[in-house]
Amino acid sequence: MEYKAQIQAAVDQVKAEGRYRVFADLRRKRGAFPHAAWRSPDGSDRDIVIWCSNDYLGMGQHPAVIEAMHSAIDTVGAGAGGTRNISGTTRYHVELEDELADLHGKEKALLFTSGYIANEATLGTLSKILPGCIYFSDSLNHASMIEGIRRAGGEKHIWRHNDLEHLEQLLAAAPVDAPKVIAFESVYSMDGDVGPIAAVCDLAKKYGAITYLDEVHAVGLYGPRGAGVAEREGVMDRVDLINGTLGKAFGLMGGYVTGNAVMIDAIRSHAPGFIFTTSLAPALAAGAVASIRHLKKNNDLRIKHQERATRLKTLLGEAGLPLMASQTHVVPVLVGDPVACKAVTDALLEEFSIYVQPINYPTVPRGTERLRLTPSPLHDDALMRDLITALRSIWGRMGLNLRAA
């Protein structure tokens, strides 16, 4: 069998559809975010401005975070030395889990190597802990949640995005005595809309379900201490399990779930994605502790972040660019074609030294290809004007639609 030809055909298919992904070779500059160096095709380095980073607040560059990481390396070295069960639990990991539990007002937290793994492992494990569990998943849930539910192997129902009436219909049709899990998100990262957390909790109480909330794109950014949208809306105590990441607003890497002590202990004891994975490096855990502690006390950074997102939306609207509706810091601009989307981002980078990654299928549905802009507190008005000028130039040259989406 000619494996190589078949494998090449799979890659060629992605290229033919215009959604082949090319990595930008970047070198971040400490203390200069959102500026970075890009290794261009001719081998030279060019100064660029990043407009699509998930380091939403620039905490990956914060002096307190870097100092904590240096200190941890000087104290204990580089790696953790094993899985959490076998020599890989350090004081840094314990402190971080305590910090996360406190952040979300929960009894316990459990660290994973990424938010993706935290979702996949936890949702996939709940069916082992709760035999016969039925999952109710929002139709726009992240791929990690979808994969976790798929791996669980149990009954599942997909409810139309944020459609509470549809969710209740599905819940009402399920056996009364069956364990149920409602899985949804607070901030949906590609559209920038928000899940109806309080209303979902009402339905969960009515039908005896567990609520599982992904706050990955909200932790650090919303609420008085940065615990997320559930904190902002005063319903954090009503959510049973909260998933988050250290790789976005907190500026590092890793993921976690928080909940009551018994539930977290059960996940710790049954989830293969936790049991068989090498522990996060101590320096990462130390940096995360510093980042979380800083953001718990500094709401001004969140206020500035929201102001910058609002400002960019205003400028895009005034320029007639096809801004998609968004309730949050996510600023999506509709292109609607994968080839055009890639061409726009190529031109931004090569001609204007502005880096935005095209968002194509399967991240978003076909026909909704877009630019996903993520302004930080460090993107000033001058950078925004440069971006708008570049987009207007490219939109006009390519004959793209200049209208509100």
Side-chain angles (χ1 to χ4, degrees):
M1 187 170 181
E2 184 49 69
Y3 292 110
K4 185 175 181 180
Q6 282 192 286
I7 294 168
Q8 185 62 55
V11 175
D12 291 343
Q13 166 101 23
V14 175
K15 289 182 176 179
E17 294 176 6
R19 58 187 183 91
Y20 181 73
R21 303 184 182 201
V22 178
F23 295 149
D25 184 350
L26 306 176
R27 187 178 71 249
R28 301 182 77 186
K29 299 180 179 180
R30 177 180 170 181
F33 184 77
H35 295 272
W38 168 58
R39 178 61 55 88
S40 64
D42 65 9
S44 63
D45 283 349
R46 187 195 303 178
D47 183 71
I48 62 165
V49 177
I50 299 175
W51 272 99
C52 57
S53 176
N54 281 340
D55 187 0
Y56 291 129
L57 301 176
M59 289 302 295
Q61 306 286 314
H62 197 280
V65 173
I66 294 170
E67 181 182 350
M69 296 182 74
H70 275 301
S71 176
I73 290 173
D74 290 341
T75 303
V76 299
T83 65
R84 287 292 300 279
N85 291 317
I86 306 176
S87 82
T89 294
T90 70
R91 171 51 48 186
Y92 299 100
H93 298 89
V94 174
E95 287 181 355
L96 177 52
E97 287 176 337
D98 288 345
E99 204 69 43
L100 289 165
D102 172 78
L103 177 67
H104 292 287
K106 301 300 182 187
E107 294 176 348
K108 290 288 183 181
L110 189 66
L111 275 174
F112 291 84
T113 49
S114 72
Y116 186 106
I117 297 300
N119 270 335
E120 181 187 61
T122 302
L123 286 167
T125 299
L126 287 177
S127 62
K128 299 177 183 178
I129 301 169
L130 302 167
C133 178
I134 302 173
Y135 292 86
F136 299 84
S137 177
D138 186 284
S139 62
L140 291 189
N141 275 344
H142 189 263
S144 58
M145 302 173 77
I146 295 169
E147 184 63 16
I149 292 170
R150 186 188 71 81
R151 287 183 177 275
E155 184 178 342
K156 65 181 179 184
H157 299 280
I158 312 301
W159 48 293
R160 291 187 293 270
H161 177 55
N162 281 353
D163 189 333
L164 295 166
E165 183 177 349
H166 187 217
L167 174 59
E168 182 160 20
Q169 289 172 359
L170 295 172
L171 287 165
V176 174
D177 58 348
K180 304 171 186 70
V181 175
I182 304 173
F184 64 116
E185 300 184 36
S186 60
V187 173
Y188 288 85
S189 63
M190 292 300 133
D191 293 330
D193 58 341
V194 176
I197 302 173
V200 171
C201 289
D202 290 341
L203 290 177
K205 183 177 180 180
K206 182 176 179 179
Y207 292 97
I210 289 172
T211 46
Y212 184 96
L213 178 64
D214 180 311
E215 289 256 37
V216 160
H217 289 273
V219 291
L221 304 177
Y222 297 91
R225 297 200 309 157
V229 176
E231 182 192 31
R232 183 189 71 181
E233 297 182 0
V235 295
M236 198 161 55
D237 61 313
R238 300 184 64 195
V239 180
D240 297 298
L241 286 166
I242 295 177
N243 164 274
T245 185
L246 306 173
K248 295 181 170 59
F250 294 129
L252 292 122
M253 70 168 290
Y256 63 89
V257 290
T258 64
N260 67 53
V262 174
M263 182 67 78
I264 296 302
D265 195 32
I267 295 165
R268 181 185 70 84
S269 301
H270 287 86
F274 174 81
I275 296 170
F276 299 106
T277 300
T278 298
S279 180
L280 282 176
L284 287 170
V289 168
S291 182
I292 294 164
R293 287 176 178 170
H294 178 81
L295 289 178
K296 281 179 178 179
K297 299 176 181 177
N298 287 276
N299 198 40
D300 57 327
L301 202 55
R302 283 183 281 280
I303 294 170
K304 180 68 172 177
H305 182 231
Q306 290 297 315
E307 183 274 326
R308 291 287 79 196
T310 299
R311 176 64 173 158
L312 180 60
K313 290 176 188 178
T314 298
L315 292 174
L316 288 166
E318 290 174 350
L321 289 157
L323 175 68
M324 300 173 72
S326 168
Q327 301 169 272
T328 61
H329 61 281
V330 177
V331 184
V333 178
L334 182 67
V335 179
D337 177 84
V339 175
C341 197
K342 179 67 164 58
V344 169
T345 58
D346 284 350
L348 281 171
L349 185 58
E350 293 164 8
E351 299 176 32
F352 297 94
S353 298
I354 292 172
Y355 173 53
V356 181
Q357 190 69 16
I359 305 296
N360 293 334
Y361 176 84
T363 305
V364 295
R366 298 179 194 274
T368 69
E369 292 82 6
R370 68 198 66 178
L371 311 182
R372 177 182 178 272
L373 305 173
T374 55
S376 76
L378 301 171
H379 286 85
D380 60 23
D381 277 9
L383 293 179
M384 290 188 181
R385 286 192 293 269
D386 290 344
L387 173 65
I388 298 296
T389 299
L391 289 173
R392 287 280 300 185
S393 172
I394 295 166
W395 241 255
R397 187 175 70 219
M398 293 182 61
L400 296 172
N401 207 5
L402 284 171
R403 61 173 176 81

